[in-house]
Amino acid sequence: MPRPAVYLAGPEVFFPDVEAVAAELKRLCDAAGLEGLFPTDAERPAGNGVSIANAIYQGNVALIDRSRAVIADISPFRGAGMDPGTAWEIGY
């Protein structure tokens, strides 16, 4: 039986050790019986007319759509509030 997928949102995608952070978050999900989907896992469309921003958007939306839930780190990032991309992912 497949494990429920959860999307892991947060500012960690901007951390210098993003790969290690992603691996640890996925390990914690696995221990809880979940499949952690990290934004950097996304397949991003490429080609003529596809901007980097649009590719990131499409890839992340596809991961969120596969997920049963979003687990979000809303810690302050680059200021007093949460990362605005994380806020968007929560709202989506």
Side-chain angles (χ1 to χ4, degrees):
M1 179 172 193
R3 298 170 296 153
V6 293
Y7 182 82
L8 304 169
E12 291 82 3
V13 295
F14 301 109
F15 290 8
D17 57 346
V18 63
E19 292 166 5
V21 171
E24 177 61 9
L25 292 173
K26 289 179 180 187
R27 185 193 67 73
L28 292 168
C29 286
D30 189 55
L34 303 168
E35 177 189 6
L37 302 177
F38 198 73
T40 55
D41 297 336
E43 291 186 29
R44 294 188 167 49
N48 268 349
V50 178
S51 70
I52 292 171
N54 193 20
I56 291 169
Y57 166 82
Q58 289 181 41
N60 291 356
V61 164
L63 289 178
I64 295 169
D65 286 346
R66 281 183 42 202
S67 300
R68 305 248 335 250
V70 172
I71 298 175
D73 176 354
I74 60 169
S75 301
F77 181 70
R78 296 182 181 161
M82 75 170 91
D83 168 54
T86 302
W88 184 90
E89 290 164 326
I90 292 168
Y92 177 82

